[in-house]
Amino acid sequence: MAASFRPDIQGLRALAVGGVVAYHFGLSALPGGFAGVDMFFVISGWLITTHLMGEITETGRLDLWRFYARRARRLLPAALFVILATLGLGYFILAPQEQALYSRGAMFASAYAINLWLLRWSFDYFAADALSNPFIHFWSLSVEEQFYLVWPALLLFAAWLRPGRRMAVVVIGVAGLASFAACLWLTSLSPAWAFYFSPLRAWEFAAGGLATLAPAALWQQRPWLRSAEGWLGLVLIAVAYLSLSEDLPFPGWYALLPVAGTVLVLLSGAGEENDAAETSPARWQALAPASVLSLAPLQWVGTLSYSLYLWHWPVIVYAGMLAPDLSILQRFGCGALALALAFLTYHLIENPARRGGWLTVGKWALAPALALTSVGVAAAYANAHLATRNIDPAQRGIEQAAEQPSIARAVDKNCLLDFHTVKPKPCTFGPADAAQTIVLFGDSHADHWSTPLVEAAKRNDTKVVTYLKSSCRASRLSTFNTVLKRDYTECDAWREQAITDIIRRKPRLVVISEFSIGNLTRDMPAAGRKAETARWQAGLRSTLQAFSQAGVETAVIRDTPIGDSFADSCVARALWWREAPSRCDTPRAQAANDGAAAQERAVVKSVPDTRYVDLTDRFCGPTECHVFIGGKLAFRDRHHLATAFAETLEGPLEKALF
């Protein structure tokens, strides 16, 4: 073990990976565990800057071949092994369409560029569909590798301007501040870029780098101050783990909690291995955070942290596909399996590769690294090609059914407005001189009814005008937008303009459908659910009364059930496994929200000139709600109707409305 080894840093690694694993394994007590990745970034900035600045100070130059060879030995072998194993297991677990998609992700993961691939598809790390991507966790390793490519050049540039620590502080500080400012700006404007793009995460590495250059004499000569500094850092990390959540705009300002906490802990242990005996009485050494971070269990987990990070995500992703609704005991079993795989990977691959000489130092040092990367890319490409060949007509039909847009979106995707647009965009379907007009009003759950409604209207000399906005209910209810990470003020403004426009049109009927409040609140505590439901009831009643008082009749279509799994992926997997699609069904008590529907029906009944349309029995039997009905995929995800199945509801909807 190197003389400069710091047990407190190994303990910090354990805390970081522990938070990430706890978050991904669904431990609700640590909703901010994902901030462990930010801790890793700071630790990397500290360690790499310490190493590079030491070499620049001693020799005036950097041996980049040696540096990159060390990085390759440290990261590539274990990562490639996990990528290949995940691809292999995916053949038996993922549907061919998923294999083809995620094999492309594996290609970019092998080249340490998956963060850029995720940006290309605007993949939300916190979205529900991220749970099926077994390679998404490689984004942070890609950011780190891109940091390793740029950071030595930045430090050499500082040394070229003026040798010494002061210029390095200036250059790193300027780069860090610019990165942080851009990160703050884009966290609200474009969250995916702020989250995945390495230049916007550079400030976290810079924080660790700057900390290594800070004059540490003040606290090194005051052990009580060092101890207080370290404990404050641990408190900040704990606050981040306990108070952050996926609903907050992240990284942005909130990332300062884990970043500042990690910096303080690192500073509290700086130089301790050299001066502890002279300046730190036994009582202060015992009270220092390093005494806790040096505990054997944390040291063991910290040693395995890299391999554990690699393995934990594919383990929980595949386990969730094989056994939805994992119990607590099953999740602990997954954790034990991930630890066992990490232990084997560390001792059989990671550690031998790091200590072995097969990735040699010298001008050919990167040749084996490039070979390993090429193997990963080639294997992923071949797997994607094989998966595409395995998509049979039934699988292709599922894929096409999920991708087919509603009638409204097929004509113009902007008929369903995006989050930012406020001005209503009415879209008209049917003859302009039709005898009657019906308005369809609501969010994407109103949009999926446009398919049967437009066809039914054609046979009744009626045109349909749509007022649709994504994630925006017709009910007068201010909500929080989980993508924008803030109150959805655009929705409130759009809704009021839309109601005014609709009343001005004097349609024969306004048809409303929206994402059920029961779906939104079903995971809330009872008290919060009751209060939110009452607020929603008041908002729905207000909207219905606005139309009723204007002499406009209204029909409210009960919301569709919400399944436990994404119907398209689940049914495709079931077909691949030679199982019945019914394995993807969800119990009616859980999916249909009959209680919320009864409350909705009561509100509708209390307002004159309104009616309630309930087609739930088309999706659900007495005990189960189905995702595959009459040989058709009923839903394109968890709760939006697949268009081909929506067409089959034309008759029942016509009977209810006309």
Side-chain angles (χ1 to χ4, degrees), residues 66-278:
R66 182 171 179 269
F67 171 74
Y68 290 124
R70 286 168 59 92
R71 292 297 88 206
R73 287 202 304 272
R74 176 73 178 90
L75 301 174
L76 274 175
L80 177 62
F81 176 70
V82 173
I83 287 171
L84 295 178
T86 304
L87 284 172
L89 287 171
Y91 178 83
F92 302 98
I93 298 174
L94 299 170
Q97 298 97 317
E98 294 176 302
Q99 294 175 37
L101 173 64
Y102 298 136
S103 292
R104 297 185 186 98
M107 288 173 56
F108 284 91
S110 299
Y112 289 100
I114 193 173
N115 60 322
L116 304 179
W117 182 74
L118 294 169
L119 274 177
R120 165 68 177 81
W121 295 102
S122 298
F123 217 111
D124 184 359
Y125 180 79
F126 299 109
D129 55 356
L131 297 177
S132 61
N133 184 342
F135 298 102
I136 194 173
H137 65 311
F138 275 88
W139 77 269
S140 63
L141 303 179
S142 297
V143 169
E144 284 213 30
E145 194 68 15
Q146 291 157 23
F147 160 73
Y148 298 146
L149 288 175
V150 174
W151 206 245
L154 189 70
L155 296 182
L156 284 173
F157 174 69
W160 176 77
L161 289 176
R162 183 176 181 180
R165 298 165 69 92
R166 289 187 179 181
M167 183 54 67
V169 168
V170 171
V171 171
I172 295 175
V174 170
L177 285 174
S179 169
F180 182 61
C183 181
L184 283 181
W185 176 54
L186 284 172
T187 293
S188 58
L189 187 66
S190 183
W193 279 87
F195 194 90
Y196 288 124
F197 195 41
S198 51
L200 303 184
R201 289 299 192 115
W203 67 273
E204 300 183 52
F205 297 95
L210 282 174
T212 68
L213 303 174
L218 174 64
W219 50 86
Q220 285 180 355
Q221 295 171 8
R222 294 170 174 80
W224 62 269
L225 183 57
R226 168 186 287 174
S227 179
E229 181 181 53
W231 285 114
L232 176 59
L234 290 179
V235 167
L236 291 178
I237 292 170
V239 169
Y241 278 9
L242 294 171
S243 63
L244 297 181
S245 77
E246 58 192 46
D247 290 331
L248 294 173
F250 195 87
W253 289 106
Y254 291 102
L256 287 173
L257 279 172
V259 169
T262 306
V263 166
L264 288 173
V265 175
L266 289 170
L267 286 173
S268 74
E272 192 170 81
E273 68 277 3
N274 297 325
D275 63 0
E278 292 83 7

Side-chain angles (χ1 to χ4, degrees), residues 615-655:
L615 300 180
T616 304
D617 290 343
R618 298 283 171 171
F619 315 104
C620 305
T623 60
E624 297 286 327
C625 290
H626 311 293
V627 298
F628 201 76
I629 304 170
K632 292 181 181 293
L633 183 71
F635 298 90
R636 58 183 171 88
D637 48 29
R638 293 181 64 201
H639 45 77
H640 290 100
L641 290 176
T643 297
F645 178 75
E647 291 170 351
T648 68
L649 301 175
E650 176 189 334
L653 192 64
E654 180 181 13
K655 183 178 179 180

Side-chain angles (χ1 to χ4, degrees), residues 189-479:
L189 187 66
S190 183
W193 279 87
F195 194 90
Y196 288 124
F197 195 41
S198 51
L200 303 184
R201 289 299 192 115
W203 67 273
E204 300 183 52
F205 297 95
L210 282 174
T212 68
L213 303 174
L218 174 64
W219 50 86
Q220 285 180 355
Q221 295 171 8
R222 294 170 174 80
W224 62 269
L225 183 57
R226 168 186 287 174
S227 179
E229 181 181 53
W231 285 114
L232 176 59
L234 290 179
V235 167
L236 291 178
I237 292 170
V239 169
Y241 278 9
L242 294 171
S243 63
L244 297 181
S245 77
E246 58 192 46
D247 290 331
L248 294 173
F250 195 87
W253 289 106
Y254 291 102
L256 287 173
L257 279 172
V259 169
T262 306
V263 166
L264 288 173
V265 175
L266 289 170
L267 286 173
S268 74
E272 192 170 81
E273 68 277 3
N274 297 325
D275 63 0
E278 292 83 7
T279 63
S280 296
R283 67 179 184 277
W284 293 120
Q285 293 184 47
L287 290 174
S291 62
V292 174
L293 295 173
S294 299
L295 292 174
L298 290 179
Q299 294 298 296
W300 186 71
V301 173
T303 300
L304 302 179
S305 59
Y306 178 57
S307 290
L308 179 57
Y309 182 83
L310 291 173
W311 275 116
H312 83 283
W313 183 241
V315 165
I316 195 64
V317 166
Y318 286 162
M321 291 176 179
L322 295 172
D325 296 324
L326 292 168
S327 66
I328 294 178
L329 186 61
Q330 288 172 320
R331 291 177 185 273
F332 272 113
C334 290
L337 175 60
L339 270 174
L341 291 170
F343 180 84
L344 292 173
T345 303
Y346 176 78
H347 286 285
L348 298 179
I349 297 174
E350 181 186 343
N351 203 37
R354 187 174 66 224
R355 295 182 181 277
W358 59 279
L359 282 172
T360 57
V361 176
K363 64 179 181 179
W364 299 108
L366 293 185
L370 293 175
L372 287 178
T373 298
S374 299
V375 167
V377 171
Y381 178 82
N383 199 70
H385 184 69
L386 175 63
T388 302
R389 293 171 61 90
N390 285 333
I391 301 176
D392 60 24
Q395 296 277 355
R396 185 71 67 190
I398 296 297
E399 185 177 30
Q400 291 171 347
E403 292 175 349
Q404 185 181 355
S406 66
I407 279 184
R409 287 183 292 114
V411 170
D412 183 349
K413 66 178 182 179
N414 293 319
C415 287
L416 179 65
L417 291 178
D418 59 24
F419 295 141
H420 297 285
T421 304
V422 171
K423 184 179 180 180
K425 177 182 172 58
C427 294
T428 303
F429 302 86
D433 59 349
Q436 302 178 99
T437 298
I438 283 181
V439 168
L440 179 62
F441 178 37
D443 53 20
S444 60
H445 279 226
D447 166 63
H448 62 204
W449 288 107
S450 67
T451 300
L453 179 61
V454 168
E455 293 302 317
K458 286 180 182 177
R459 291 204 298 269
N460 291 271
D461 194 21
T462 301
K463 67 180 178 183
V464 174
V465 181
T466 62
Y467 285 80
L468 306 170
K469 182 173 173 65
S470 185
S471 298
C472 186
R473 293 175 177 80
S475 299
R476 282 170 162 158
L477 175 68
S478 297
T479 56

